[in-house]
Amino acid sequence: MADHQLQALSGAFQTIEIADEQGTRRLANDIAMVLKPGDVICLSGDLGAGKSTFTRALIRAFAGEPELEVPSPTFTLVQTYDFPRFDLSHFDLYRLEEPEELEELGLDDLLETGAALIEWPEKANELLPGNALWIQITQPTGDDDHRRFSLYSDAPHWQNRIGQSLATRSFLGTAGLPDAERRFLAGDASLRTFETVATGSSTAVLMRWPFQGDAVPEAVSAYMEKVHLARDCRAIVAVGTELRNHGLRAPDLLASDLENGLILSSDLGRDTIVVDGKPVRERYFAAVDVLAKMHGEAWPKTVSLADGGLYQVPDYSADALVAEAALFLDWYVPKVAGKPAGESTRSEFERLWREALEDISEAQTGWVLRDFHSPNLLWQAGAEGTDRIGLIDFQDTVYGPVAYDVASLLLDARTDMDEALETALYDAYLSARKMQSAKFDEVGFSKAYAVMAAQRISKILGIFVRLAERDGKPAYLSHLPRMLGYLDRVLDRPFLSDLKDWYARYRH
């Protein structure tokens, strides 16, 4: 690192001694897991220090492809990779003649959608972003494999992210997996991120929650509180343990650090109940069996944790249900109307929803997993009975009308469920429940199913518009016609005529 650049920073916030090339690859893996679009990593060091080795390892770890070909951009100056997560650009500025040439390479444009790794950043002088992460690689001893990595940045987010990722590596060490390969699996709209952890042919799933360094905005926190969204990983442990105790297929807990929001669990695979975008009948009927089993049993409101603590399953209150449905007002209505919903519109909306919820106040209640739909139902080939469905993403479980999860499954937001399949699945559920008990209230369930379906669809319509408008994910708008079709289907009940009239005025 050039002297003036080093002096401009506060000093290394992390210094890591690496004994061998495997250690270099491990550190590159850990940093790859916390990269975000817009990030710049500057790699400084003498010839032979190991910049290219580190960069190659980071790119391969980011791609999840250990054998990926990573050519040196010494002559091209930049090599950009189009990865599903986001683009990654590798710069080598050794042959850069003038710092201004960096602008011709399009760094600013590349950072709008991706991240950059820059070797020989000293050549760019002051043209690099001030919030970059600088990594200085040195050989402090005569050992050819020994490296010292000194990390510099005055940007707090780098210190937080690197610290969290290194803590995650330490956690894996205590779990007996110190050298496991970490691969990005998914980033959640919440604070959670997921990775696969591989050792040989064996894999597990690592959840990090919270993803420290990203503060929760006050408005988001207030909404989470209002609708009873889980705030930490104790919910995963409590709900998952109880599901397994009831004989359902939730991932096994392999290791956990609840204080730091880390959970390592068994990997149930990637196959869902949808194939090539279409529902697989056998798999949906198996999922119905899971719901029928759940709804035929008693579920606790308080779950004991292994550390002696207690986890309280929150009630799915009328306030929470109305607040969720109101996402339709907050996001969908302004999109189609071109202006926010007025106070009178909101008052009428809330009144109609509270009346509908009061009408089903006597409906059966129990655990509601809340997102019981295709992305979270993993097909277990070769298993039998309810073991054929693996359950994930159940941390927001609440105690409320059990019809909610049935509606979530039968009117799946991520795939087209035609009315004939919905009816067949609904009849299968009713048949299973009647076999469990002659006292099953079919009429009451039918009413609760329609109300819960309309509530969930309203919420999702709002969420999909929010993802497009606020979060820059316009692909979600392609799901709107499906959800509007579902809404027409469920509102076509006489007892929902008032809600149907309201939606007819505001959905277009």
Side-chain angles (χ1 to χ4, degrees), residues 127-149:
L127 297 181
L128 296 174
N131 61 353
L133 171 67
W134 285 76
I135 302 179
Q136 187 176 38
I137 307 175
T138 56
Q139 295 172 274
T141 71
D143 184 343
D144 288 343
D145 291 330
H146 189 170
R147 297 290 187 276
R148 175 178 295 152
F149 288 77

Side-chain angles (χ1 to χ4, degrees), residues 222-412:
Y223 177 78
M224 291 176 69
E225 187 74 25
K226 181 181 292 186
V227 302
H228 315 306
L229 296 180
R231 307 303 295 270
D232 62 57
C233 63
R234 294 169 66 253
I236 289 281
V237 175
V239 175
T241 299
E242 195 66 20
L243 289 170
R244 290 190 297 273
N245 288 343
H246 279 254
L248 296 174
R249 192 73 172 268
D252 293 327
L253 182 65
L254 304 178
S256 65
D257 179 351
L258 302 187
E259 185 71 22
N260 292 302
L262 296 167
I263 289 182
L264 188 68
S265 59
S266 59
D267 189 350
L268 298 183
R270 308 291 171 266
D271 292 338
T272 71
I273 58 175
V274 167
V275 174
D276 295 331
K278 298 179 181 179
V280 180
R281 287 179 64 90
E282 176 194 8
R283 300 181 182 187
Y284 273 82
F285 279 100
V288 163
D289 291 342
V290 171
L291 288 178
K293 174 180 171 59
M294 282 191 65
H295 300 164
E297 299 179 5
W299 295 82
K301 287 194 172 183
T302 302
V303 179
S304 298
L305 297 171
D307 64 2
L310 297 175
Y311 178 77
Q312 189 73 31
V313 180
D315 287 328
Y316 211 0
S317 64
D319 286 346
L321 287 161
V322 171
E324 287 184 335
L327 291 174
F328 182 87
L329 279 178
D330 297 336
W331 293 96
Y332 183 86
V333 169
K335 177 175 178 58
V336 298
K339 60 181 180 180
E343 286 304 314
S344 60
T345 299
R346 287 186 172 276
S347 296
E348 183 183 13
F349 180 86
E350 180 170 341
R351 176 182 63 79
L352 290 172
W353 268 108
R354 290 194 180 277
E355 290 175 355
L357 293 171
E358 179 62 28
D359 282 346
I360 63 167
S361 60
E362 299 301 316
Q364 180 190 350
T365 55
W367 273 23
V368 177
L369 301 192
R370 221 172 191 177
D371 276 316
F372 196 93
H373 62 163
S374 54
N376 301 327
L377 304 175
L378 303 179
W379 182 247
Q380 307 298 295
E384 297 181 356
T386 56
D387 268 354
R388 293 176 294 172
I389 300 295
L391 303 172
I392 60 171
D393 202 18
F394 42 68
Q395 72 285 337
D396 293 323
T397 291
V398 285
Y399 207 96
V402 298
Y404 184 97
D405 278 348
V406 182
S408 176
L409 176 68
L410 274 53
L411 298 169
D412 197 318

Side-chain angles (χ1 to χ4, degrees), residues 464-465 467-469 471-482:
F464 283 172
V465 172
L467 286 165
E469 302 279 320
D471 302 334
K473 299 177 180 179
Y476 281 93
L477 296 179
S478 66
H479 299 300
L480 296 187
R482 173 189 305 126

Side-chain angles (χ1 to χ4, degrees), residues 29 35 52 143 160 184 216 241 268 328 369 409 456 492:
N29 189 180
L35 277 184
S52 295
D143 184 343
N160 290 333
F184 183 84
V216 182
T241 299
L268 298 183
F328 182 87
L369 301 192
L409 176 68
R456 178 172 171 80
D492 197 21

Side-chain angles (χ1 to χ4, degrees), residues 94 96 114-115 178 205 230 277 326 353 358 426-427 429 432 460:
Y94 185 73
L96 198 72
V205 173
W353 268 108
E358 179 62 28
Y426 184 87
D427 289 344
Y429 176 84
I460 291 175

